[in-house]
Amino acid sequence: MRVNLVNYEEGLAIVGILSKYAQAMKTELDKLGVECTVKALPDPDATVNHHINYGPYQYVDTINTVMITHFTQGTDSKIERIREIMATADVGICFSPTMMSYLNGFGVGKLDYVLPAHDSIPRRPKNVAILSNVYPDKRKREWMLAEVCKVIDKSSFTFLVMGKGWEYVLAPLAREGFDIKYRPDFDMDTYKVILERADFVLYTGDEDCMAQSILDASQAGIRTISSVQDWQKDLPVDYPFRTQEDLDNIFRRLEYNPVKDWTWAKYTEKHLDIWKSVLGRA
């Protein structure tokens, strides 16, 4: 199989997002040992011409697949252009099942989809601030932090803790590899710096009070994770919890990455699967 990625931007002396897709796919196809070229026009000697994007599509007597993106819903002229293209193309490849279904609804057939790819930019840990003292009677329920750390990936969070008494909870977590920044004594300037850095403020206490850190975080526009009791309903909380299970589930949701597998490798492999399927039918 020889694949030609038809990057129509090259013919227009443009280096944009479509060129990026062409070059990234070529890199991945090279890794897979698939012979690949990138040209401004279709290659009649290739096994597959993959046209990036659909607008300037030019038919050649090969297998033709077409990227369908930059499409505005409700644009009748573009739907007609896609219908015209799909009269000769083998597969139109959308970026989502939703767009594929939308075009199917207008009678456009021979469509498939491949989810787009990201550039694998490193995912930074989320900064979780904890800004309260703990006490011998355990009313701050500080053990809940140790419990939640049993169910999360240590690389997903940094904990910024200010308050007396946390050493016995934080020391074992630090030894396990969790990123802990701890200051036992309260300092207003540092408190403000922590709030500036924080993505979330966590409060685990179950006292009859409105935690100052949650109030300050709400004022600063920082998302809050807080235990709630019936008497706390006047203070809005972004992620309220009552039980350890509730808190564990909140942190699992916060560390979940819905696009983790949307890589250039996966994107290219899915296209290769489509091309092999068309070749098999041919």
Side-chain angles (χ1 to χ4, degrees):
M1 180 192 298
R2 187 164 75 83
V3 176
N4 181 47
L5 302 172
V6 189
N7 177 21
Y8 290 108
E9 282 189 343
E10 286 192 6
L12 301 172
I14 296 172
V15 179
I17 187 67
L18 302 182
S19 297
K20 176 179 180 175
Y21 267 80
Q23 292 303 321
M25 291 183 73
K26 176 169 172 45
T27 297
E28 297 300 328
L29 288 169
D30 288 344
K31 291 178 186 176
L32 294 168
V34 177
E35 187 179 355
C36 176
T37 56
V38 178
K39 297 182 179 180
L41 293 172
D43 182 349
D45 295 323
T47 312
V48 175
N49 276 280
H50 180 57
H51 302 258
I52 304 175
N53 187 15
Y54 70 91
Y57 169 81
Q58 299 176 36
Y59 171 78
V60 285
D61 189 16
T62 65
I63 291 171
N64 292 277
T65 59
V66 186
M67 174 194 281
I68 299 177
T69 184
H70 292 60
F71 175 85
T72 304
Q73 292 191 21
T75 309
D76 294 341
S77 61
K78 290 190 175 183
I79 291 172
E80 288 307 313
R81 176 59 180 150
I82 293 172
R83 280 204 189 100
E84 177 186 307
I85 290 166
M86 294 315 301
T88 58
D90 294 277
V91 183
I93 303 177
C94 303
F95 271 92
S96 72
T98 303
M99 178 53 71
M100 184 180 73
S101 297
Y102 178 79
L103 292 173
N104 285 158
F106 286 90
V108 181
K110 297 189 291 182
L111 298 179
D112 206 329
Y113 75 92
V114 178
L115 297 169
H118 56 67
D119 292 318
S120 297
I121 295 167
R123 189 177 179 88
R124 71 167 180 82
K126 294 178 172 63
N127 293 319
V128 179
I130 304 171
L131 301 162
S132 60
N133 295 329
V134 297
Y135 301 96
D137 64 5
K138 310 295 186 187
R139 63 182 181 267
K140 297 297 185 181
R141 299 191 301 180
E142 60 272 16
W143 71 85
M144 298 186 84
L145 175 62
E147 290 300 312
V148 84
C149 285
K150 294 178 180 178
V151 302
I152 59 175
D153 185 333
K154 61 176 64 73
S155 67
S156 297
F157 299 95
T158 293
F159 293 100
L160 314 174
V161 185
M162 176 183 282
K164 296 182 185 299
W166 281 94
E167 290 86 351
Y168 85 97
V169 175
L170 301 181
L173 296 179
R175 287 194 295 269
E176 291 172 19
F178 283 91
D179 188 2
I180 308 288
K181 313 295 185 190
Y182 179 46
R183 176 172 179 139
D185 297 321
F186 180 82
D187 173 78
M188 178 56 76
D189 289 337
T190 305
Y191 180 80
K192 291 178 179 178
V193 169
I194 291 174
L195 286 174
E196 288 174 359
R197 291 182 56 195
D199 299 300
F200 303 91
V201 171
L202 169 64
Y203 179 75
T204 55
D206 63 352
E207 300 166 290
D208 177 11
C209 70
M210 292 188 182
Q212 187 68 41
S213 61
I214 296 299
L215 179 59
D216 288 340
S218 298
Q219 161 61 22
I222 303 164
R223 286 169 290 179
T224 54
I225 308 167
S226 179
S227 56
V228 293
Q229 291 83 34
D230 291 340
W231 51 78
Q232 286 182 326
K233 290 180 179 178
D234 297 303
L235 179 61
V237 172
D238 297 295
Y239 297 94
F241 66 90
R242 292 182 182 275
T243 67
Q244 183 70 52
E245 183 180 8
D246 293 340
L247 184 59
D248 291 350
N249 288 335
I250 288 169
F251 272 81
R252 286 192 185 101
R253 292 201 304 273
L254 294 181
E255 74 174 349
Y256 173 63
N257 180 359
V259 299
K260 178 181 178 181
D261 297 325
W262 295 26
T263 61
W264 288 114
K266 185 66 66 74
Y267 179 81
T268 304
E269 288 164 6
K270 293 286 188 182
H271 279 75
L272 188 56
D273 289 343
I274 291 171
W275 298 328
K276 287 179 178 178
S277 178
V278 176
L279 271 172
R281 292 197 300 270

